[in-house]
């Protein structure tokens, strides 16, 4: 660690911590802003270097700033990840034991599902059979709401998915606990939940929805990259960061519900 | 309340049993451990404090010892010292003891601030603007103001303690409870007042985080004056600058 950190690095780190998770273009803007405020030399494409330096100081503290793709919009996000524990420590200080159990059960449902979702009905059923302490419907709904607010889960039309932050923070934990039950995306090789699956029963590879959008863009005859069987799923549209903010909710939900309808 | 009393006693007991190791005990403790073991403990303490600090409530030494330090109790001062170094060097924070009797800490932001934006709060959150206004009123009025002064100031900005505000919600709760809990403000009773009156002062977090000179410069701009116009505040801002200068 020969090179020292400047206040610009510290301020960037504080900002990521404050926001929990930050989208790529916002991270670039924050990077530029921090360098300007604290008079540090700055070039347009030096964000990775900037973060690498911060990470060299975070490593002895078992933390890292990681970059990952969102399963929802395909964009890159940055978040601070805990490397030491494989357990859900950050959550443990905010949630009671039975609430954590509910979260784990929700995760079970998501891992088990074909398209990386858990319906609120199924989660409510779990609440009834918790081993730590049973939870009534109202309480369950409140816990789920908090989990969404704290950015561990996303919710859309009564379906719950793991948030980008959750996946990035807990990938190691998830792989340890679920092992072969979780699959990686055949395109980007990261863990995959909201995904399309090859219909060939002896193949069964998964591709993230945004990865499928990019891979199959413009292809007239989409095929599975592993077994070459016809890829029957609807090819999603690619979203850019400018589009995401203007994409109206009904269109977005139409894409996701059409996916789930086809799966059945 | 019975349960709370019991818990409080328990925690006090735990802390009473904690005696500061002598420097030779400390050295012997360090010698018995590998550098990797000590580094690992420091990392755990840093993470623990970062997570606890999110609640913005002071972190008790007893909690740190019970949950993280554990059997490394005899080298506690060294671990805290190194944790603080990490906070300063990597994050731009400082671990400050706010309760010397009960030994509780807060993490204070040491980065040079844009006076309009104490960075600990969500960047650009309207709450920071509100807090800043309150802090500047207190500062300009000599460091302590009676409660009505604050509400009158806010009323001018159309923020009413009686009404639920669109952005801030229950303003009275925000100012007298949340800001106080976070140690940005102190809200104390004025003795022998009937009906009961209160006064506001800067809290220890504000003292540590807010640059008084920058605040004075901002106020001066608003009034189109030079900062030196307010001699007392100027002197105080200069003194604060000297005490907390960073290399």
């Amino acid at each position: 660690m020969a090179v020292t950190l400047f206040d610009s690095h510290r301020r960037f780190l504080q900002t990521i911590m404050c926001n929990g998770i930050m989208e790529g273009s916002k991270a670039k803007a924050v990077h530029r802003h921090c360098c300007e405020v604290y008079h540090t030399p700055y070039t347009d494409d030096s964000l990775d270097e900037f973060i690498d330096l911060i990470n060299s100081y975070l490593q002895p503290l078992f933390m890292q700033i990681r970059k990952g793709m969102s399963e929802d919009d395909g964009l890159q996000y940055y978040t601070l990840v805990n490397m030491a524990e494989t357990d859900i420590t950050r959550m443990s200080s905010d949630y009671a034991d039975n609430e954590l159990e509910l979260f784990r059960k929700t995760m079970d449902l998501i891992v088990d599902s074909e398209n990386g979702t858990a319906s609120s009905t199924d989660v409510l059923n779990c609440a009834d059979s918790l081993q730590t302490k049973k939870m009534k419907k109202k309480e369950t709904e409140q816990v789920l709401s908090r989990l969404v607010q704290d950015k561990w889960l996303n919710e859309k039309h009564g379906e719950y998915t793991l948030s980008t932050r959750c996946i990035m923070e807990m990938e190691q934990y998830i792989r340890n606990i679920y092992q072969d039950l979780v699959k990686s995306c055949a395109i980007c090789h990261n863990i995959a939940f909201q995904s399309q699956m090859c219909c060939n029963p002896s193949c069964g590879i998964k591709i993230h929805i945004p990865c499928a959008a990019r891979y199959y863009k413009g292809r007239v005859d989409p095929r599975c990259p592993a077994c070459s069987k016809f890829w029957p799923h609807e090819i999603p549209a690619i979203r850019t960061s400018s589009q995401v903010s203007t994409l109206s909710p009904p269109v977005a939900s139409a894409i996701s519900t059409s996916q789930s309808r086809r799966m059945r | 309340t019975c349960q709370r009393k019991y818990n409080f006693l328990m925690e006090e007991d735990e802390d009473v049993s904690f005696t500061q190791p002598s420097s030779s005990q400390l050295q012997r403790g360090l010698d018995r451990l590998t550098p990797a073991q000590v580094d690992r403990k420091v990392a755990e303490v840093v993470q623990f404090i970062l997570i606890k600090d999110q609640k913005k409530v002071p972190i008790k030494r007893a909690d740190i010892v019970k949950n993280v330090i554990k059997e490394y109790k005899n080298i506690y001062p060294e671990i805290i010292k190194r944790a603080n170094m990490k906070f300063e060097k990597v994050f731009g924070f400082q671990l400050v003891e706010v309760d010397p009797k009960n030994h509780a800490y807060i993490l204070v932001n040491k980065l040079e601030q844009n006076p309009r934006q104490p960075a600990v709060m969500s960047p650009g959150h309207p709450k920071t603007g509100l807090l800043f206004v309150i802090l500047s009123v207190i500062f300009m009025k000599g460091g302590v103001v009676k409660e009505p002064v604050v509400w009158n100031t806010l009323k001018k900005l159309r923020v009413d303690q009686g009404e639920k505000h669109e952005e801030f919600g229950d303003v009275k709760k925000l100012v007298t409870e949340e800001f106080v809990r976070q140690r940005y403000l102190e809200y104390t009773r004025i003795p022998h007042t009937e009906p009961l009156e209160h006064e506001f002062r800067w809290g220890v977090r504000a003292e540590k985080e807010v640059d008084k000179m920058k605040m004075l410069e901002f106020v001066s701009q608003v009034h189109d004056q030079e900062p030196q116009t307010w001699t007392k505040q100027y002197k105080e801002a200069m003194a604060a600058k000297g005490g907390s200068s960073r290399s």
Side-chain angles (χ1 to χ4, degrees):
Chain A
M1 280 188 273
V3 189
T4 187
L5 282 182
F6 295 122
D7 279 353
S8 49
H9 297 98
R10 299 180 182 108
R11 181 62 178 262
F12 182 86
L13 178 56
Q14 285 187 12
T15 309
I16 284 205
M17 288 168 65
C18 227
N19 284 285
I21 186 164
M22 225 170 15
E23 190 267 315
S25 57
K26 181 163 182 201
K28 283 199 162 80
V30 172
H31 171 216
R32 186 175 60 237
H33 175 78
C34 290
C35 288
E36 278 168 13
V37 169
Y38 297 102
H39 313 296
T40 313
Y42 164 84
T43 56
D44 221 356
D45 54 0
S46 57
L47 178 57
D48 284 341
E49 251 180 77
F50 189 77
I51 290 179
D52 281 346
L53 181 58
I54 301 174
N55 276 339
S56 70
Y57 281 83
L58 286 174
Q59 204 188 345
L61 300 171
F62 301 94
M63 291 189 261
Q64 290 285 276
I65 297 175
R66 277 255 175 92
K67 190 164 76 168
M69 182 193 78
S70 158
E71 293 189 334
D72 303 294
D73 58 29
L75 298 174
Q76 296 291 318
Y77 286 79
Y78 292 89
T79 189
L80 187 64
V81 165
N82 178 353
M83 311 288 290
E85 310 293 306
T86 52
D87 205 350
I88 34 184
T89 23
R90 192 177 298 267
M91 285 180 73
S92 324
S93 69
D94 288 337
Y95 293 86
D97 282 342
N98 64 339
E99 294 171 345
L100 291 173
E101 195 191 344
L102 182 78
F103 177 74
R104 279 192 293 267
K105 286 244 174 340
T106 308
M107 203 185 266
D108 286 345
L109 289 167
I110 288 172
V111 170
D112 253 344
S113 74
E114 258 190 34
N115 56 355
T117 63
S119 72
S120 53
T121 320
D122 289 342
V123 178
L124 284 165
N125 287 337
C126 288
D128 219 18
S129 55
L130 290 178
Q131 282 182 340
T132 42
K133 188 175 146 192
K134 289 207 222 301
M135 224 185 268
K136 293 213 173 71
K137 180 172 183 213
K138 181 101 193 245
E139 199 191 336
T140 308
E141 283 169 357
Q142 282 172 347
V143 175
L144 285 171
S145 174
R146 266 172 63 209
L147 285 164
V148 171
Q149 217 174 35
D150 292 344
K151 296 188 187 164
W152 296 111
L153 295 175
N154 287 332
E155 187 268 331
K156 213 185 299 187
H157 304 302
E159 299 280 316
Y160 290 91
T161 52
L162 297 180
S163 72
T164 310
R165 182 201 175 181
C166 179
I167 296 173
M168 284 175 70
E169 179 116 26
M170 298 193 199
E171 177 164 353
Q172 207 173 335
Y173 167 79
I174 293 171
R175 284 196 192 275
N176 285 344
I177 298 290
Y178 296 101
Q179 307 256 344
D180 290 336
L181 292 173
V182 292
K183 289 209 175 132
S184 300
C185 170
I187 304 299
C188 73
H189 309 293
N190 286 314
I191 206 168
F193 295 101
Q194 293 179 72
S195 50
Q196 299 178 343
M197 195 158 89
C198 178
C199 288
N200 182 351
S202 54
C203 178
I205 58 134
K206 279 188 174 182
I207 302 182
H208 283 124
I209 291 170
C211 293
R214 280 189 276 261
Y215 184 71
Y216 289 118
K217 182 181 177 185
R219 294 207 200 195
V220 168
D221 180 31
R223 301 245 153 212
C224 170
C227 71
S228 299
K229 186 166 162 87
F230 179 70
W231 195 263
H233 308 291
E234 179 178 330
I235 308 302
I238 296 183
R239 297 205 218 166
T240 59
S241 8
S242 52
Q243 267 183 343
V244 170
S245 50
T246 57
L247 199 65
S248 56
V251 179
S253 63
I255 295 175
S256 60
T257 50
S258 72
Q259 302 292 359
S260 45
R261 245 182 274 132
R262 270 180 192 274
M263 294 301 177
R264 295 194 201 103
Chain B
T1 40
C2 226
Q3 178 70 11
R4 234 189 298 145
K5 235 190 194 165
Y6 174 79
N7 284 341
F8 177 73
L9 283 172
M10 282 301 286
E11 278 181 353
E12 231 185 31
D13 259 3
E14 297 225 43
D15 214 49
V16 161
S17 73
F18 176 91
T19 45
Q20 285 280 13
S22 68
S23 54
S24 57
Q25 283 178 319
L26 190 70
Q27 194 51 55
R28 255 181 289 140
L30 277 169
D31 289 341
R32 261 186 243 136
L33 300 162
T34 65
Q37 282 172 313
V38 181
D39 284 345
R40 180 70 190 241
K41 250 328 145 177
V42 171
E44 286 173 19
V45 168
V46 167
Q47 287 208 10
F48 182 80
I49 292 175
L50 282 174
I51 292 173
K52 286 282 180 188
D53 184 68
Q54 282 176 343
K55 307 262 164 65
K56 290 287 169 261
V57 173
I59 307 140
K60 296 205 199 78
R61 180 174 77 184
D63 282 345
I64 301 175
V65 172
K66 185 170 95 169
N67 292 302
V68 191
I69 306 273
K70 298 185 190 169
E71 70 277 19
Y72 289 55
K73 223 156 77 161
N74 55 342
I75 56 161
Y76 176 85
E78 183 63 25
I79 296 179
I80 285 292
K81 187 173 113 184
R82 292 191 197 186
N84 195 26
M85 274 164 52
K86 291 288 179 186
F87 280 127
E88 293 195 19
K89 198 161 80 163
V90 183
F91 298 91
F93 290 142
Q94 189 185 15
L95 201 57
V96 174
E97 191 170 45
V98 295
D99 191 346
K101 195 178 91 172
N102 295 314
H103 304 288
Y105 303 96
I106 57 171
L107 271 183
V108 152
N109 198 339
K110 291 310 283 177
L111 294 184
E112 226 190 72
Q113 299 302 320
N114 174 347
R116 264 161 278 203
Q117 237 193 30
V120 174
M121 293 188 171
S122 311
H125 197 289
K127 277 186 200 169
T128 67
L130 187 73
L131 174 65
F132 181 78
V133 165
I134 299 172
L135 289 174
S136 54
V137 163
I138 299 172
F139 176 59
M140 296 310 287
K141 290 219 180 271
V144 56
V145 298
K146 287 218 172 91
E147 187 171 355
V149 174
V150 170
W151 301 129
N152 288 338
T153 310
L154 295 188
K155 214 174 192 141
K156 290 185 200 152
L157 303 169
R158 279 175 254 195
V159 177
D160 200 313
Q161 61 156 325
E163 297 165 5
K164 188 169 169 146
H165 191 268
E166 194 183 82
E167 193 76 60
F168 307 123
D170 186 338
V171 179
K172 177 145 185 166
K173 200 165 178 200
L174 173 65
V175 175
T176 61
E177 288 180 33
E178 192 176 321
F179 286 162
V180 173
R181 191 176 56 234
Q182 295 173 345
R183 299 310 207 258
Y184 281 111
L185 293 176
E186 262 179 36
Y187 179 64
T188 47
R189 295 187 194 152
I190 303 174
H192 314 303
T193 49
E194 191 71 48
L196 190 59
E197 287 173 28
H198 290 86
E199 53 193 16
F200 282 102
R201 287 180 176 78
W202 279 33
V204 64
R205 195 189 289 272
E207 288 286 345
K208 292 278 173 182
E209 285 185 7
V210 181
D211 187 327
K212 285 181 171 149
M213 188 52 84
K214 287 217 159 77
M215 176 170 271
L216 185 59
E217 282 166 3
F218 175 70
V219 172
S220 325
Q221 271 176 33
V222 169
H223 292 271
D224 205 15
Q225 304 267 7
E226 288 298 307
Q228 288 86 338
T229 312
W230 292 274
T231 33
K232 193 156 161 256
Q233 286 82 349
Y234 187 77
K235 268 200 197 128
E236 197 183 327
M238 288 295 279
K241 212 180 174 89
S244 61
S245 50
R246 289 190 75 228
S247 47

